[in-house]
Amino acid sequence: MSQRLTINMNNHPVYDIVYEQDFKSLAKELEPFMISEKKLCIITDTRVKGFYADEIYETLKDCCRDIVVYDFPSGEENKNLDTVRNIYAFLIQNKFGRKDMLLALGGGVVGDTTGFVAATYLRGIDFVQIPTTLLAQVDSSIGGKTGVDFDQYKNMVGAFYMPRLVYMNVSTLKTLDDRQYYSGMGEVLKHGLIKNAKFYEWIIDQMYEIHERNLDTLEDMVYKSCTCKKLVVEKDPTEKGERAILNFGHTIGHAIEKAKNFELTHGECVALGCIAAAYISWKRDLLSMDEYYEIRDMFVPFNLPISIEGIDPEEIYALTTSDKKMEGNQLKFILLKKVGKAMIDTTVTKEEIIAGINEIYFTDEDWNE
Ligand code: GLY
């Protein structure tokens, strides 16, 4: 089908996102950046390299001055300053200059790390995002957040730095294992819930095609999901205000992710966090009871959990207060006013948060009921 979105800031176009079902147009899309005069470095991880690096290398090798590939071991544990340092060393050895370009080929870890290298190497070098996971296509590759983890702190070091282009080949979603694929669905459902009720209904209508990973449906879904995020990041690129609504489900979600030592996927934790936040929204009479239960139950067909065992609600609460989403002593909690409309609230109390956590907490007593 081939679709395109442009991300604008201060009413100026900053970069395009193109939606394709293969890599055939990549060379053409890169032409305007004068790649014939540039050296390119494909930065990827060991898993993704095996699937796509050769194809991209072959597609681009005759269109640029030189092209090299750098890969590092897959996994969140490698999203750190050691990997950044190794990439700097590789770029220096290969004499990359400020006019050359990096291509981030992979999921969120590759995109965030490469983006941070691009933001800082020689005080800034062009980079292009080629996201290959659903999480990266609908979330981390757009909006210009780059960075790495520092010790136990996630995304603690980073920069807002915009790519020159985001090239999405949705057929790459076919090589994701089910758990990673449905993890991305957590963010897709979240985008519908916070920004577009019609899109939320569309996701539910397209459930069968989404399970089948039908390419036209995937392209439409990723495009529509990015449209929700585009509306938010264009208004508030550096998260001074409204961008925080993208954190719906993330306050409690991140806390569960940490408490469970990253055994659950990001999307699974976001789903649980969205349910707890929707529950608080219902208890505040923002949502009706029916709306709450529909939101909760709609995670099930997308293989996402609606309850969790073996947590300590007090510990989860304590972790929410150490989250980056704190402003001074106040937690910026995201609630739903209705399906398709989120709001930032700084008055959510400990009792409400604990009640939200208890709603998703499945205890031994629940078995006996
Ligand atoms: N992932 C949330 C954001 O980009 O702001």
Side-chain angles (χ1 to χ4, degrees):
M1 268 191 294
S2 239
Q3 305 185 64
R4 179 178 292 269
L5 272 179
T6 300
I7 301 289
N8 299 292
M9 273 160 206
N10 300 320
N11 296 322
H12 291 293
V14 181
Y15 59 95
D16 279 1
I17 309 173
V18 292
Y19 301 84
E20 299 287 349
Q21 297 182 10
D22 51 45
F23 286 119
K24 286 189 190 133
S25 320
L26 181 60
K28 184 176 77 49
E29 290 294 340
L30 290 175
E31 239 174 53
F33 305 110
M34 319 284 267
I35 58 165
S36 58
E37 294 162 23
K38 288 182 195 285
K39 294 205 304 197
L40 307 182
C41 180
I42 300 172
I43 299 179
T44 188
D45 67 22
T46 33
R47 191 192 83 87
V48 178
K49 183 182 181 206
F51 285 116
Y52 309 113
D54 286 350
E55 185 184 347
I56 294 186
Y57 182 92
E58 288 301 318
T59 308
L60 298 178
K61 75 176 195 305
D62 296 327
C63 314
C64 60
R65 192 149 70 79
D66 192 13
I67 181 163
V68 288
V69 181
Y70 181 87
D71 68 295
F72 60 94
S74 325
E76 179 78 26
E77 65 278 16
N78 298 306
K79 187 173 151 178
N80 58 37
L81 289 174
D82 292 335
T83 302
V84 170
R85 190 180 198 288
N86 293 339
I87 301 173
Y88 290 152
F90 182 82
L91 295 175
I92 294 166
Q93 273 159 20
N94 285 278
K95 300 192 167 46
F96 268 68
R98 194 180 284 147
K99 296 213 164 106
D100 295 322
M101 181 180 257
L102 311 183
L103 307 179
L105 171 67
V109 171
V110 168
D112 287 6
T113 308
T114 305
F116 183 64
V117 170
T120 48
Y121 182 70
L122 296 173
R123 300 197 182 87
I125 172 174
D126 285 351
F127 90 113
V128 166
Q129 291 270 23
I130 310 175
T132 58
T133 64
L134 186 54
L135 267 179
Q137 291 189 352
V138 298
D139 189 16
S140 58
S141 69
I142 58 171
K145 278 189 180 175
T146 74
V148 292
D149 305 336
F150 186 81
D151 293 342
Q152 75 270 39
Y153 305 105
K154 259 179 83 86
N155 297 325
M156 194 40 98
V157 179
F160 284 100
Y161 192 69
M162 303 302 150
R164 300 301 303 255
L165 174 78
V166 185
Y167 188 100
M168 309 218 183
N169 167 4
V170 294
S171 75
T172 58
L173 304 181
K174 295 249 185 194
T175 54
L176 288 180
D177 67 43
D178 275 355
R179 215 167 154 210
Q180 287 307 325
Y181 175 65
Y182 290 110
S183 173
M185 286 308 299
E187 293 286 356
V188 173
L189 288 159
K190 179 207 79 178
H191 280 147
L193 287 170
I194 62 168
K195 206 65 195 165
N196 189 332
K198 280 205 182 112
F199 174 48
Y200 185 70
E201 296 302 326
W202 180 92
I203 303 166
I204 294 163
D205 287 348
Q206 301 294 315
M207 198 179 289
Y208 176 77
E209 289 80 359
I210 292 171
H211 283 305
E212 292 288 297
R213 304 196 203 180
N214 171 288
L215 285 180
D216 287 340
T217 307
L218 288 180
E219 191 182 319
D220 266 350
M221 179 177 82
V222 174
Y223 176 88
K224 287 177 200 289
S225 188
C226 289
T227 306
C228 298
K229 182 157 178 178
K230 165 184 154 81
L231 293 172
V232 178
V233 297
E234 282 186 339
K235 272 205 214 144
D236 179 20
T238 54
E239 201 165 316
K240 301 262 187 303
E242 186 193 328
R243 185 168 176 158
I245 66 166
L246 294 172
N247 295 330
F248 177 63
H250 283 61
T251 305
I252 292 174
H254 274 159
I256 294 173
E257 223 172 344
K258 269 190 222 156
K260 285 286 189 184
N261 266 324
F262 298 90
E263 278 161 28
L264 276 78
T265 65
H266 180 67
E268 287 165 355
C269 295
V270 167
L272 292 165
C274 286
I275 295 164
Y279 177 82
I280 299 170
S281 308
W282 164 36
K283 291 294 154 184
R284 284 196 170 199
D285 281 333
L286 295 163
L287 294 177
S288 68
M289 185 176 82
D290 286 353
E291 282 172 321
Y292 164 67
Y293 281 112
E294 182 177 313
I295 290 168
R296 189 193 70 169
D297 294 345
M298 273 309 150
F299 286 103
V300 177
F302 295 100
N303 290 339
L304 291 163
I306 60 171
S307 66
I308 181 166
E309 291 175 38
I311 52 166
D312 171 2
E314 284 288 340
E315 183 201 356
I316 302 292
Y317 172 76
L319 286 166
T320 64
T321 60
S322 64
D323 199 272
K324 288 207 297 310
K325 289 175 274 300
M326 291 288 280
E327 212 170 65
N329 264 343
Q330 273 185 326
L331 187 63
K332 281 198 276 174
F333 204 91
I334 314 305
L335 297 173
L336 283 187
K337 265 190 191 165
K338 56 181 183 178
V339 173
K341 188 137 188 63
M343 59 183 263
I344 303 170
D345 192 291
T346 53
T347 66
V348 176
T349 62
K350 175 176 178 182
E351 288 66 36
E352 288 178 295
I353 293 177
I354 295 276
I357 298 166
N358 276 326
E359 176 67 9
I360 52 172
Y361 177 32
F362 195 84
T363 63
D364 286 344
E365 278 161 32
D366 294 318
W367 279 115
N368 303 326
E369 265 174 19

